[in-house]
Amino acid sequence: MSEVQAVSRRWRRPPVLIRNDFWRRAIYSGALLYLLLAIGTLEVDWQRAYEGLERGARFLQGFLTPDFTSRFDQIQRGMVESVTMTVCSTMVGILISVPIGLGAARNISPLPVYLVCRAIISVSRAFQEIIIAILFVAMFGFGAFAGFVTLSFATIGFLAKLLADDIEEIDPRQAEAVRGTGAGWWQVVNYGVQPQVMPRLIGLSLYRFDINFRESAVIGIVGAGGIGATLNTAMDRYDYSTASAILILIIIFVMLAEYSSGYIRKWIQ
Amino acid sequence: MPVWQTEQGPAWRHRTTTAQWLHWLGWLLAAMAFVFCWQIMTVDTKWFFVKDAPSQAADLFSRAWPPKWSYVNTLWRALWDTINIATLGTLIGVILAVPVAFLAARNTTPSHLVLRPFALFVIVASRSINSLIWALLLVAILGPGILAGIIAIALRSIGFVGKLLYEAIEEIDESQVEAVQATGASRAQVIDYGIVPQVLPAFAGICVFRWDINIRESTILGLVGAGGIGLQLQSSLNTLAWSQVTVIFALILATVIFSEWVSSRVRKNII
Amino acid sequence: MLSIEALTKRYKTGDLALKDVSFSIERGQVVGLIGPSGAGKSTLIRCINRLVEPTAGAIRLSDVDIPKLGRTQLKTMRRRIGMIYQEYALVERLTVMENVLSGRLGYVSFWRSLSRRYAQKDVDKAFGLLERVGLSDHVDKRADELSGGQRQRVGIARALEQDPELLLVDEPTASLDPKTSRQIMRLICEICREHDLPAIINIHDVMLAQMFVDRVIGLTAGEVVFDGPPAELDHAALTRIYGEEDWREMRKAADEAAQDASDAAAFKAAEEERMAGTV
């Protein structure tokens, strides 16, 4: 091979992500400039943060000695509220999501229905649970009911959107074949669409159950019931041992929900 | 879907009798669970307030509209803080998540018995706790302010980025890794040449995706005192200044839509 | 050069993949390893650079017993053994040049490889190899932009960039069409001759093996059942390797392919004649 040896040529690695020279420089220097500005305008009270470390140590201490018993009543009530809120809102959410999801699929719905359903989905997705919860607490008063309405509403945005996207991606030949037999709209949905999207709908519902539980632990902070409210109270009282007990419970419940829903999803498919 | 013989020839039904019963039983159980949960949940519900909700809503709307647009001028600084919380938080979270992901992935972890379970625990703990709760804890420790917000976002991002990244690492094509190993490369070189190029696009996508989510989440961290536009939201809510709340909502909405647009553009260009 | 003695591999599942395999290879000899799928061909060559850990036996390359090496020594040994793969096993998202340079990984420090600052002589060598395999125009293309034959050429260049003393080749043509297969086999064998490099080539295509290699080893159920020059590979030997039925099947398929080819040639000739006639 030495006889075909090329003359010394230099080689430099070509840029990895952005190959265009101008854009690469512009984006990198823009990012750097932003970072400098962001850090420069950061207002941090380091003195206060430093003092907080001692409190952090206390918190860590509290976290390592979780106290489930002294406020057991409140913890239990919060947990039961969270779980029941999750169950009810997921079920109601699914029941409402299915028709809206069908309506929001362009390939099986007429344009006006499609637009209305998509609008509902967009509204529900635009704001996160906590903001919706603020509004519903203002309307329904404090407590689990506002949380239930919040989570049901948020479930619609999630499930109906993914269901609709799923239906839009089905194999059109199967639905066409069913339509070709002279089937009506309901029959097309039942025979041509449902079998194709059902497994994913079940999977998504279980996944949403999971998310709803996590969220139920948060919306209590703005007064919508559940374990989040209990946690907030414990933090206000500087009762870190109870707070840590609640956090541990949340982690365990989330893991349980995640593993069991993952298990059921695998079992269904 | 069973077929069986009868005197009139074969017959067909959608389900067997048992399957049909189980089917109905499933629905029944679901309905019962719902009613049961519903009753427990609504024990403390004041139905008077629920019935009153439409008039409350009407009242709320009348106070929220028209929005007090001039209020927006006091919000720019808070918006800038919000974006910084999200971006710096994502940055820190991603930097911490990368080693965690490599420790958690089955094919790159140096120790299956100690480090992998530890990394998985970090991921689960970070994911189970919402950033608002992280912020609640950090505000108690570090005091109110933007720093608590940044760290809260970072802590929540570790789990999200770590999980998706380690799944991406586990899904790589092992033959490419094997080929790099066979050249006599060291462990670090195998990661650099065999693994990083394979997960880089997924990684970039995950980061941008998380940044988008973090922008959303950082808008409300102020509710517990962790800086950003949520602080203004909290004070407007406390003074029942609903016309200001509307302005804040509109600004949050615009920011969220913008970040979603950016993130989908970037992800489309990566893939 | 390379000698293998009583090599045995038993997988954790209990399957005995290699039974007491022994042979040795001289400098510059190209060996074709044939046998039905599941015979242990792939396991055998992976035992040599220990991508698969052998259970028992000795593998000596220039008097170093490979199974006894520690981690660091193994790395040094691996860089002396080049490997070419069935599905190319290129790092798809790196450029052609980076893939070829990755052959130097065993020689350079981590920081050098991370920053891609290779010594100029490594880069020169890579350029030379890419020219040799006919890919000079594709240096900065990403590997996944290339066709199958081109990718396998990159794989060859990567293996040679290691300055290997031995080449292990695992089904180099299994993912390629017949014409490209022949080109790739010819290229590998030519290069081995140029460098006086010994090679073990796993190959399922007996005809292709007979065309190019110096020596054939037949493996059946983990045992060597044939070892000799390709000319001695007769009907009886092939029956021993593949079993009566499979060998007949294979030959029939090959005959049909040959028939198709000659039919096509005849058709083309007739066509040309007709064209000539009309003119």
Side-chain angles (χ1 to χ4, degrees), chain B residues 88-271:
Chain B
L88 297 177
T90 312
L91 209 62
I92 298 173
V94 164
I95 291 171
L96 294 173
V98 169
V100 173
F102 275 94
L103 293 180
R106 221 171 266 122
N107 45 358
T108 54
T109 183
S111 127
H112 280 267
L113 286 177
V114 186
L115 288 177
R116 177 156 197 268
F118 172 72
L120 288 176
F121 174 76
V122 169
I123 289 174
V124 167
S126 152
R127 269 162 47 81
S128 309
I129 302 176
N130 193 290
S131 49
L132 196 62
I133 297 182
W134 279 119
L136 191 67
L137 304 180
L138 287 162
V139 167
I141 297 172
L142 298 172
I146 187 167
L147 185 67
I150 291 175
I151 299 178
I153 292 285
L155 288 176
R156 175 68 182 82
S157 304
I158 292 177
F160 182 90
V161 176
K163 178 168 194 281
L164 293 178
L165 184 59
Y166 99 76
E167 284 170 354
I169 295 173
E170 285 186 351
E171 277 169 21
I172 57 170
D173 174 11
E174 281 294 331
S175 72
Q176 300 181 28
V177 178
E178 196 190 62
V180 177
Q181 268 168 0
T183 63
S186 67
R187 205 189 189 97
Q189 287 173 326
V190 171
I191 290 179
D192 180 19
Y193 278 72
I195 296 173
V196 170
Q198 292 196 57
V199 296
L200 203 60
F203 175 67
I206 294 166
C207 293
V208 177
F209 187 31
R210 186 65 222 184
W211 174 76
D212 174 22
I213 300 176
N214 282 344
I215 289 271
R216 267 166 193 265
E217 300 208 327
S218 62
T219 55
I220 47 153
L221 290 183
L223 290 176
V224 295
I229 202 168
L231 281 175
Q232 259 75 12
L233 178 61
Q234 178 74 326
S235 62
S236 299
L237 283 171
N238 283 343
T239 55
L240 297 177
W242 286 98
S243 57
Q244 293 178 15
V245 173
T246 316
V247 178
I248 295 172
F249 280 178
L251 194 58
I252 290 178
L253 189 62
T255 316
V256 166
I257 290 173
F258 173 73
S259 76
E260 205 165 277
W261 177 78
V262 170
S263 117
S264 75
R265 269 298 298 268
V266 171
R267 274 183 290 159
K268 213 175 277 167
N269 281 338
I270 289 170
I271 302 158

Side-chain angles (χ1 to χ4, degrees), chain C residues 12-84:
Chain C
K12 275 193 194 127
T13 50
D15 298 323
L16 194 59
L18 295 174
K19 268 185 262 179
D20 210 14
V21 172
S22 299
F23 61 87
S24 58
I25 298 174
E26 293 312 309
R27 182 163 270 286
Q29 193 174 46
V30 177
V31 176
L33 194 60
I34 64 170
S37 57
K41 304 191 297 272
S42 193
T43 307
L44 175 56
I45 69 165
R46 279 179 166 71
C47 277
I48 296 174
N49 61 0
R50 277 178 55 192
L51 287 174
V52 171
E53 289 293 337
T55 313
I59 303 165
R60 289 205 183 79
L61 183 65
S62 317
D63 289 325
V64 181
D65 192 3
I66 296 176
K68 293 213 173 67
L69 295 176
R71 275 188 65 92
T72 327
Q73 293 163 304
L74 176 62
K75 270 180 225 150
T76 324
M77 176 50 77
R78 275 181 176 165
R79 70 187 193 197
R80 291 162 59 187
I81 305 174
M83 190 155 173
I84 296 167

